[in-house]
């Protein structure tokens, strides 16, 4: 039988026209630090498109997820603001500026949080399973779930290949942050893998919690995903994030560890009992995938937690390139830190699959706590599945050029949280998104289009 070819495709979120710094994400130190600074949405979107193009040029399939409709008038109506759209924006700005900012947040750009996705080679029914995340730990992100689900259903519409689940119930028990706390390991992308799910707290069992910042992801949410996606429970490991790391600003596990195929790059303080987690992963990899898991540990002496959070070194993407070696796609901030540079130099010189590093400038996103790994959702697809998905969102050179023109035409180059009440911004944002759905051939996905 011919071997089915699988590839990992990155789905990056396009930064939306209302990208701003509102300090909304408690526990995300970059967001807290940059709150109320002016932003540059145009630069943000161009930076993220440039990163997508770089990955495409490395031969990695690259796709796009469109931004969400913002300001999100339906949520402002739902929480009691009424009248015309202009009235709603003015009232909200006057009486609840934080809620107005939440309704304007461009946070859907961090698509690592958009969903959990299980490749067909890992699910019992051999379907790709997709669950949009409820993101219910943060008000400004909880409003993403419905639109994300709609977009994913449009892109992956062929039910011979794709199964969608509605987001988990909102509330304290099933708080789900999508793929940002999930790492899949495998011999190659298309071989059945093993899965690491990190969680901050368990709603039903007692575990030690961070003192200062919220633990966003629950164990129960990840367990529900494993059941829904028909994953083999013997190939899954659940591990608790170290509470001290969350208190140092590690709000998602992808800020402190990253894996790809048979390689794991992690900080010693990523988990409660990190040594045991790594030992269990190595055993699972041997037992199920008949392959060594190559692990590279970074100690706190080499990179203190604060420096890991400041540089977002572990929020690099690790991708397998055409030459069958791996590349580290690291944020520019890691290039500017001596400690992070030493770690990277040692990593490249050691016996791991990572042979090259590329630095990317995502500073607009980084100021809200989003590095290279935050802005992409990894989806492993067979050739047939890749062909069965909507083709209009796959990045090509002409689409890249078209998107650059689209951003340049529609986006502002300066936005302050005080500008969010400007009803022109609502009009600008809607006409930009309307045009984008035509460019991507997506059909109506926004409330204002339905
Ligand atoms: O949820 N920042 C996002 C950053 C998400 C990063 N994603 C991953 N680590 N995968 C968050 O904290 C800031 C919004 C503001 O303050 O305006 C924000 O939501």
């Amino acid at each position: 039988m011919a071997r089915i070819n699988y590839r990992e495709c990155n789905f990056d979120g396009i930064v939306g026209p209302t990208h701003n710094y509102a300090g909304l994400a408690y526990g995300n130190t970059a967001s807290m630090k940059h709150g109320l600074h002016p932003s540059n949405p145009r630069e943000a979107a161009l930076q993220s498109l440039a990163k997508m193009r770089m990955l495409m040029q490395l031969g990695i399939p690259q796709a796009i997820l469109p931004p969400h409709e913002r300001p999100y008038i339906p949520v402002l109506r739902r929480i009691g603001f009424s009248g015309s759209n202009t009235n709603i924006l003015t009232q909200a700005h006057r009486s609840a500026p934080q809620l107005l900012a939440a309704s304007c947040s461009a946070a859907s750009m961090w698509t690592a949080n958009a969903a959990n996705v299980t490749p067909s080679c890992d699910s019992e029914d051999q379907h790709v399973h997709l669950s949009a995340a409820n993101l219910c730990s943060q008000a400004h992100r909880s409003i993403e779930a419905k639109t994300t689900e709609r977009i994913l259903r449009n892109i992956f519409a062929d039910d011979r290949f794709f199964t969608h689940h509605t987001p988990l119930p909102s509330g304290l028990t099933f708080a789900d942050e999508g793929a940002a706390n999930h790492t899949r390991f495998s011999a190659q992308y298309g071989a059945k893998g093993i899965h690491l799910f990190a969680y901050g707290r368990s709603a039903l069992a007692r575990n030690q919690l961070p003192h200062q910042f919220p633990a966003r992801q629950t164990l129960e949410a990840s367990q529900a995903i494993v059941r829904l996606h028909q994953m083999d429970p013997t190939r899954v490991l659940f591990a608790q994030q170290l509470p001290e790391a969350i208190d140092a600003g590690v709000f998602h596990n992808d800020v402190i560890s990253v894996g790809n195929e048979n390689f794991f790059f992690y900080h010693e303080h990523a988990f409660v009992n990190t040594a045991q987690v790594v030992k269990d992963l190595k055993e699972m990899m041997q037992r199920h995938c008949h392959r060594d898991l190559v692990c590279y540990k970074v100690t706190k002496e080499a990179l203190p937690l604060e420096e890991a959070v400041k540089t977002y070194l572990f929020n690099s993407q690790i991708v397998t390139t055409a030459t069958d070696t791996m590349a580290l796609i690291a944020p520019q901030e890691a290039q500017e830190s001596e400690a992070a540079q030493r770690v990277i130099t040692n990593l490249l010189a050691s016996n791991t699959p990572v042979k090259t590093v590329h630095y990317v400038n995502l500073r607009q996103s980084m100021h809200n706590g989003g590095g290279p790994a935050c802005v992409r959702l990894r989806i492993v697809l067979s050739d047939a599945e890749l062909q069965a998905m909507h083709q209009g969102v796959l990045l090509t050179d002409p689409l890249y050029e078209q998107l650059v023109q689209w951003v340049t035409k529609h986006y502002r180059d300066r936005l302050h949280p005080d500008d969010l009440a400007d009803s022109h911004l609502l009009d600008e944002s809607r006409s930009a998104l309307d045009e984008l759905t035509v460019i991507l051939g997506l059909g109506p996905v926004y409330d204002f289009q339905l």
Side-chain angles (χ1 to χ4, degrees):
M1 211 168 71
R3 204 179 150 71
I4 304 175
N5 187 41
Y6 284 79
R7 307 183 71 189
E8 185 178 80
C9 186
N10 289 300
F11 285 72
D12 281 49
I14 300 189
V15 180
T18 61
H19 159 67
N20 73 96
Y21 300 121
L24 296 175
Y26 186 59
N28 166 345
T29 47
S31 150
M32 290 160 69
K33 181 170 162 206
H34 292 99
L36 306 187
H37 287 206
S39 63
N40 184 336
R42 185 187 299 167
E43 187 177 59
L46 295 177
Q47 285 174 349
S48 85
L49 282 169
K51 190 203 71 140
M52 294 183 215
R53 184 175 59 164
M54 204 199 91
L55 272 281
M56 180 182 74
Q57 287 170 343
L58 285 175
I60 317 254
Q62 179 67 54
I64 281 157
L65 291 176
H68 290 193
E69 145 184 8
R70 299 284 182 268
Y72 196 30
I73 296 291
V75 82
L76 291 171
R77 284 193 193 281
R78 181 138 178 242
I79 58 174
F81 296 103
S82 57
S84 66
N85 289 343
T86 308
N87 272 341
I88 287 176
L89 294 170
T90 316
Q91 282 171 42
H93 183 51
R94 201 173 302 134
S95 65
Q98 285 282 89
L99 295 180
L100 174 65
S103 80
C104 292
S105 172
S108 67
M109 66 198 267
W110 299 297
T111 52
N113 306 116
N116 282 284
V117 184
T118 302
S120 55
C121 49
D122 287 345
S123 69
E124 202 180 318
D125 65 359
Q126 296 183 346
H127 270 212
V128 179
H129 286 258
L130 303 101
S131 295
N134 60 30
L135 290 170
C136 62
S137 292
Q138 308 272 318
H140 69 289
R141 303 223 54 184
S142 64
I143 58 176
E144 293 171 33
K146 209 170 87 183
T147 307
T148 299
E149 185 185 355
R150 208 182 278 150
I151 291 170
L152 291 176
R153 282 183 189 271
N154 269 25
I155 295 175
F156 300 100
D158 190 333
D159 60 12
R160 286 174 306 160
F161 296 101
F162 307 113
T163 298
H164 295 266
H165 304 274
T166 48
L168 294 175
S170 288
L172 292 177
T173 306
F174 298 108
D176 177 15
E177 296 283 310
N181 299 300
H182 167 249
T183 311
R184 172 178 191 262
F185 300 100
S186 59
Q188 310 97 32
Y189 289 131
K192 215 165 154 50
I194 62 167
H195 298 264
L196 170 64
F197 284 93
Y199 62 92
R201 65 187 169 87
S202 163
L204 302 178
R206 284 173 186 223
N207 59 351
Q208 197 204 334
L209 295 175
H211 293 297
Q212 199 186 351
F213 293 145
R216 294 198 197 181
Q217 174 82 34
T218 65
L219 169 63
E220 291 74 13
S222 304
Q223 289 170 330
I225 294 294
V226 170
R227 280 189 295 272
L228 287 164
H229 289 200
Q230 304 186 14
M231 298 166 76
D232 175 351
T234 66
R235 289 170 172 262
V236 172
L237 183 71
F238 299 102
Q240 191 190 334
Q241 294 169 265
L242 190 72
E244 289 82 350
I246 296 178
D247 277 336
V250 182
F251 54 101
H252 289 138
N253 190 250
D254 65 7
V255 175
I256 199 79
S257 78
V258 52
N260 182 53
E261 293 189 318
N262 68 328
F263 179 59
F264 192 32
F265 181 47
Y266 64 96
H267 191 278
E268 64 173 335
H269 287 328
F271 308 98
V272 171
N273 201 347
T274 302
Q276 186 64 45
V277 172
V278 171
K279 185 165 174 276
D280 291 348
L281 284 174
K282 278 176 167 275
E283 277 172 18
M284 282 172 81
M285 189 80 180
Q286 267 302 342
R287 188 165 3 114
H288 293 292
C289 309
H290 314 292
R291 192 75 192 267
D292 279 337
L293 182 67
V294 181
C295 294
Y296 194 91
K297 174 172 90 173
V298 178
T299 61
K300 66 174 187 308
E301 286 74 27
L303 197 70
L305 272 178
E306 292 64 31
E307 195 69 2
V309 171
K310 203 172 112 207
T311 61
Y312 261 42
L313 171 61
F314 295 95
N315 202 260
S316 299
Q317 291 176 251
I318 300 183
V319 292
T320 306
T321 62
T323 55
D324 234 11
T325 60
M326 296 188 192
L328 189 77
I329 314 296
Q332 186 178 289
E333 286 70 7
Q335 192 174 21
E336 292 161 2
S337 149
E338 274 178 36
Q341 276 300 291
R342 269 195 302 273
V343 173
I344 293 173
T345 308
N346 290 339
L347 169 68
L348 294 177
S350 66
N351 191 21
T352 77
V354 180
K355 299 296 175 214
T356 43
V357 58
H358 301 270
Y359 293 100
V360 288
N361 176 5
L362 287 179
R363 191 140 293 171
Q364 285 285 326
S365 166
M366 284 287 288
H367 283 177
N368 253 340
C374 300
V375 295
R376 61 92 172 92
L377 178 65
R378 309 163 89 165
I379 305 192
V380 170
L381 296 168
S382 70
D383 286 345
E385 291 156 357
L386 197 58
Q387 270 160 31
M389 66 170 256
H390 175 62
Q391 301 295 292
V393 293
L394 286 170
L395 193 65
T396 56
D397 282 322
L399 179 57
Y400 170 80
E401 296 301 337
Q402 206 176 357
L403 290 171
V404 167
Q405 275 175 24
W406 170 80
V407 167
T408 313
K409 171 174 161 199
H410 290 283
Y411 280 49
R412 297 189 184 188
D413 60 7
R414 191 177 195 281
L415 198 60
H416 186 273
D418 280 340
D419 302 327
L420 299 174
D422 175 3
S423 62
H424 293 114
L425 183 67
L426 173 69
D427 297 339
E428 286 163 30
S429 171
R430 286 188 175 180
S431 54
L433 297 189
D434 227 8
E435 200 177 307
L436 182 66
T437 48
V438 176
I439 294 175
L440 301 179
L442 258 186
V445 288
Y446 300 116
D447 291 49
F448 75 87
Q449 292 176 318
L450 298 172

